[in-house]
Amino acid sequence: MPPRKRLSAQDWVDAAYAALGDGGVAAVAVEPLAVRLGTTKGSFYWHFAGRDALLAAALAHWERVETEAVIALGDTQPDRLARMRALLVLALEPPGASVELALQPTADHPLVAPVLRRVTRRRLEYLGTTFRDLGFSPEESERRSLLAYTAYLGHTQLMHATPDLLPDLSGYVDTVVAALTRGGCPTCG
């Protein structure tokens, strides 16, 4: 038998993150993850005090990768409409969207609830800023950011439940951006 690879805490977090997308909070279980990683539970306990610590680390990873990193990439787009388009494309691609959907049924879980609340608030605030940058009033920006976010959540649900019904992502994103920026946007042309 070949020697086992020494796993890092990040290896476990990556596996837990993938498990979140595959089966939600319940899928973040030490024994199945150890099998998936080809190691023993002892490796897990070398890095984490318990399952909750791993779940918290996987949730933090999701927040960093699927919110903060996406926002940072959006900020690299000087054109505001291109930024909106880039945000939607990035948000609608797996695995982040699948993790989002998998977390929704456990939105009241003590570790999940604060992260979901923080992520949702951060995303809505960023979208609101993007709409204000496009020239919408603060009130209209808030409404449109909520509409954009619920479109994202709805698309994510369809991607999970009926992926064969989804249109080409590129054309869809263009339509969504046009709808979200239509009427009252002085800088949208």
Side-chain angles (χ1 to χ4, degrees), residues 62 66-67 84 88 91-92 96 100-101 104 115-125 127-128 131 141-156 172 176 180:
W62 171 69
E66 300 300 332
T67 299
M84 180 73 67
L88 281 169
L92 295 175
E100 172 92 31
L101 185 63
Q104 293 300 324
V115 176
L116 266 178
R117 191 174 312 109
R118 188 172 54 246
V119 163
T120 301
R121 183 176 294 120
R122 174 76 168 113
R123 290 172 176 178
L124 287 171
E125 287 170 358
L127 286 166
F131 283 112
S141 294
E142 188 176 315
R143 282 190 289 274
R144 288 179 189 242
S145 66
L146 186 59
L147 179 59
Y149 200 68
T150 56
Y152 154 72
L153 290 173
H155 184 90
T156 301
Y172 173 76
V176 171
L180 288 170

Side-chain angles (χ1 to χ4, degrees), residues 20 98 115 122 135 175:
L20 275 175
S98 59
V115 176
R122 174 76 168 113
T175 301

Side-chain angles (χ1 to χ4, degrees), residues 5 7 27 37 45 49 59 61 82 89 112 122 150 180 184:
K5 174 187 165 206
L7 297 176
L37 290 167
Y45 289 107
L59 291 167
H61 179 75
V89 167
V112 173
R122 174 76 168 113
T150 56
L180 288 170

Side-chain angles (χ1 to χ4, degrees), residues 21-47:
D22 292 342
V25 171
V28 180
V30 178
E31 257 183 72
L33 289 176
V35 169
R36 184 183 222 172
L37 290 167
T39 192
T40 65
K41 291 191 306 183
S43 169
F44 168 79
Y45 289 107
W46 180 260
H47 298 291

